[in-house]
Amino acid sequence: MILEERRYTLVPGGVPQYIAHYQSMGRESQEKHLGPMVGCFQSEVGELNQLVFLWRYESMADREVRRKALMADAQFTEFRQRVRGLLVQQRNCILKAVAFPEGKQ
């Protein structure tokens, strides 16, 4: 299993607008292709105006297939066009689960 962390830095005050667009047109198409979101988080301390999304995949190959389907989705394309002006920066990170030896924490 892998997790993908997608961190979006938005224009100051842009988080509510982004969330409104996401709720009305982005989330449905994302979860249709990517499966249930692990979580969406907003920064409160440190770097502000950020949203962090976490997505779970079985493997990098699974991620590639699902993301390709998402990028072909017309509704998601429209969502991306609506929020593009709110984005300042995007950072993605793939997190791989650590395998601990049996019986040890």
Side-chain angles (χ1 to χ4, degrees):
M1 178 198 64
I2 61 171
L3 286 179
E4 181 176 21
E5 175 190 277
R6 298 181 72 87
R7 183 177 299 262
Y8 301 96
T9 303
L10 305 171
V11 298
V15 169
Q17 288 176 292
Y18 188 98
I19 291 296
H21 287 304
Y22 185 70
Q23 190 62 31
S24 70
M25 62 189 322
R27 185 172 183 176
E28 179 184 358
S29 56
Q30 261 195 321
E31 289 192 333
K32 178 172 87 174
H33 298 290
L34 304 184
M37 178 189 340
V38 174
C40 177
F41 306 89
Q42 180 177 349
S43 60
E44 289 289 327
V45 176
E47 293 183 47
L48 301 178
N49 302 304
Q50 290 192 344
L51 289 172
V52 179
F53 292 85
L54 295 176
W55 298 95
R56 179 187 338 248
Y57 302 98
E58 292 303 314
S59 64
M60 288 298 288
D62 177 42
R63 177 188 177 274
E64 184 177 338
V65 168
R66 291 187 198 195
R67 298 261 337 143
K68 185 176 181 179
L70 178 63
M71 292 301 110
D73 186 293
Q75 182 175 331
F76 193 71
T77 298
E78 184 180 343
F79 161 73
R80 289 173 60 213
Q81 290 170 350
R82 293 227 179 143
V83 298
R84 184 162 286 133
L86 298 172
L87 294 172
V88 173
Q89 183 180 21
Q90 177 181 342
R91 189 180 80 185
N92 297 356
C93 181
I94 300 294
L95 304 168
K96 183 179 172 186
V98 174
F100 288 99
E102 286 288 319
K104 297 188 180 187
Q105 299 286 332

